[in-house]
Amino acid sequence: QEAASNVLVAVGQRFINKVMEEVLTKFQPGILPHYFVLQTFANLSVSNVFGMVPFLNSILGTMLPMLGMARQDHMKSVFCYGKSR
């Protein structure tokens, strides 16, 4: 899963719209996403800063209501990791 996330980040440096189109299908409101979906968002935001800007409203608007759903420590840490990037 980490390798797949790293591949998406590498491809996202050049084709951010296609990568985000696919990753956002796994990021639905009200459903806690997989750990690596959030880590992929965070790593994409570092590797392609300007490419991620158009997606910030969508990501943050979906992520903020989910914060209360994160009960496990690894999910709490990845939410913090994503917001710190």
Side-chain angles (χ1 to χ4, degrees):
Q1 295 165 341
E2 184 173 1
S5 174
N6 291 337
V7 168
L8 287 172
V9 171
V11 172
Q13 290 176 347
R14 176 87 170 109
F15 304 103
I16 189 70
N17 291 331
K18 291 289 186 184
V19 169
M20 288 303 296
E21 181 180 319
E22 291 300 320
V23 177
L24 284 173
T25 64
K26 304 295 183 192
F27 192 62
Q28 300 297 321
I31 302 170
L32 198 61
H34 192 275
Y35 174 90
F36 280 104
V37 170
L38 295 174
Q39 187 170 350
T40 302
F41 284 149
N43 292 335
L44 274 169
S45 69
V46 172
S47 71
N48 190 346
V49 176
F50 295 111
M52 286 294 287
V53 169
F55 300 101
L56 286 179
N57 283 340
S58 174
I59 292 171
L60 291 175
T62 303
M63 184 187 295
L64 292 177
M66 285 183 196
L67 291 176
M69 296 170 59
R71 301 275 184 227
Q72 299 170 330
D73 286 342
H74 71 282
M75 289 304 292
K76 289 179 183 179
S77 69
V78 80
F79 271 106
C80 291
Y81 178 73
K83 291 188 335 182
S84 72
R85 296 296 178 150

